[in-house]
């Protein structure tokens, strides 16, 4: 497992075709074993930043290095490099639908290890283990498209966890999960982090942030990084959270007194 910096972003900008520019010169370093939360309001660029880290999109300016190597279009076009990269950096999409592409849950989960060239017996064992871990063994012959939202998320998670990635990048992973499954997922992420995995989670659920991270990155509505530091500290910074629209203040009067309530977006 990598010991040094996992990701190093140097003056990174990103342009969507026909869209505005995101991250004007983003500087960021993420070390192995960190537990990071990415916060920001809708449209601030959380998913885009995660896609950059996963090598699904590339910076339009600046450089992205991962495990000490610059990630370029040329490198990602090399199938061996791309496969190894996607094995080391696992990504759970915000929308599980786009992650699932086979017609059977078992095939979906086995796809990655089969691509890696593992023998069928080993793959069978691994699929069984990960399905048991996620409590989805009974769904193995189902079509991923006919599952509930939470079940789809679990299949997507299984297909990533089976590759045992060093880095887990999760985009709003608890969305669509019931409270018990959310708790279970958080515990799983913490256990994986304890074993040395780097965990990066995007969410706008502030209640989740302090549980799943020590370091927080906050993106503004203008798509820039406006905070990089301890999670505990940013959660107490009401002014910043208001400014980036992560909490709302709601003033009202009762008993002749003016009150302010803070609403956390969720
Ligand atoms: N494929 C695309 N083409 C053009 N613009 C895009 C595309 N995807 C996202 N954007 C724009 O980029 C910005 C950042 O989007 P992104 O999905 O990264 O935000 P987010 O922080 O993940 O939002 P949310 O909390 O709603 O998931 C938004 O202004 C969005 O409209
Ligand atoms: Mg998003």
């Amino acid at each position: 497992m990598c010991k040094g910096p996992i990701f190093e972003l140097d003056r990174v900008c990103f342009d969507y075709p026909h869209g505005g520019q995101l991250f004007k010169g983003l500087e960021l370093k993420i070390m192995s074993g960190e537990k990071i939360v990415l916060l920001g309001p809708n449209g601030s660029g959380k998913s885009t930043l995660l896609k950059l880290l996963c090598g699904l999109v590339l910076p339009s300016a600046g450089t992205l290095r991962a495990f000490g190597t610059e990630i370029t279009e040329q490198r990602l076009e090399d199938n061996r490099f791309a496969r190894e990269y996607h094995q080391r950096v696992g990504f759970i999409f915000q929308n599980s639908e786009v992650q699932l592409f086979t017609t059977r849950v078992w095939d979906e989960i086995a796809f990655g290890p089969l691509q890696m060239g593992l023998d069928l017996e080993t793959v069978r064992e691994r699929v069984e283990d990960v399905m048991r871990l996620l409590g989805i063994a009974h769904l193995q012959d189902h079509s991923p498209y006919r599952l509930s939202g939470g079940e789809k998320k679990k299949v997507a998670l299984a297909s990533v966890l089976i590759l045992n990635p060093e880095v887990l990048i999760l985009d709003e992973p608890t969305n669509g999960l019931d409270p018990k499954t959310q708790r279970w997922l958080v515990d799983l992420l913490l256990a994986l982090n304890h074993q040395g995995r780097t965990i990066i989670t995007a969410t706008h659920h502030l209640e989740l942030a302090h549980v799943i991270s020590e370091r927080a990155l906050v993106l503004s509505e203008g798509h820039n990084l406006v905070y990089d530091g301890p999670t505990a500290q940013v959660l107490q910074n009401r002014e910043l959270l208001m400014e980036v629209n992560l909490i709302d203040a709601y003033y009202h009067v009762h008993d002749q007194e003016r009150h302010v309530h803070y609403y956390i977006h969720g």
Side-chain angles (χ1 to χ4, degrees), residues 30-234:
I30 294 178
M31 303 301 288
S32 175
E34 282 202 273
K35 199 165 40 166
I36 295 180
V37 72
L38 178 57
L39 298 169
N42 292 135
S44 55
K46 301 182 295 298
S47 295
T48 307
L49 178 54
L50 296 186
K51 284 179 193 161
L52 271 166
L53 299 181
C54 294
L56 295 177
V57 296
L58 286 162
S60 37
T63 57
L64 162 67
R65 296 173 75 81
F67 310 107
T69 304
E70 188 176 342
I71 303 300
T72 58
E73 197 168 349
Q74 204 180 9
R75 287 226 162 83
L76 290 171
E77 275 168 6
D78 170 358
N79 280 340
R80 239 181 89 187
F81 180 88
R83 202 178 306 144
E84 193 192 321
Y85 192 62
H86 294 308
Q87 194 254 308
R88 294 180 87 176
V89 182
F91 186 30
I92 305 292
F93 286 69
Q94 183 163 4
N95 172 7
S96 308
E97 299 263 335
V98 299
Q99 191 151 10
L100 307 171
F101 58 93
T102 67
T103 52
R104 187 169 163 247
V105 166
W106 194 94
D107 297 341
E108 190 70 45
I109 301 171
F111 180 82
L114 286 173
Q115 281 280 302
M116 275 167 66
L118 296 187
D119 68 85
L120 195 56
E121 207 36 53
T122 311
V123 174
R124 278 206 185 104
E125 277 168 28
R126 281 207 193 182
V127 173
E128 208 169 294
D129 284 350
V130 79
M131 283 198 307
R132 200 176 316 121
L133 176 74
L134 285 144
I136 52 172
H138 61 293
L139 301 174
Q140 66 169 344
D141 294 320
H142 288 226
S143 160
Y145 302 103
R146 298 225 178 106
L147 301 177
S148 77
E151 288 168 341
K152 280 182 188 149
K153 185 130 281 180
K154 287 184 181 179
V155 173
L157 259 169
S159 67
V160 167
L161 291 180
I162 197 167
L163 295 172
N164 203 9
E166 289 172 48
V167 184
L168 260 172
I169 296 190
L170 305 107
D171 199 354
E172 314 266 3
T174 55
N175 277 11
L177 297 181
D178 59 50
K180 193 170 146 209
T181 312
Q182 283 191 26
R183 185 69 241 166
W184 170 88
L185 177 61
V186 167
D187 288 345
L188 175 71
L189 295 179
L190 294 178
L192 289 169
N193 177 253
H194 195 69
Q195 291 165 15
R197 306 284 182 309
T198 308
I199 311 279
I200 306 169
T201 313
T203 184
H204 40 235
H205 288 274
L206 294 184
E207 311 81 12
L208 194 67
H210 75 279
V211 188
I212 50 159
S213 71
E214 271 152 18
R215 176 180 173 194
L217 307 173
V218 180
L219 291 173
S220 66
E221 285 179 307
H223 322 296
N224 286 312
L225 186 65
V226 289
Y227 178 88
D228 177 358
T231 307
Q233 214 163 301
V234 77

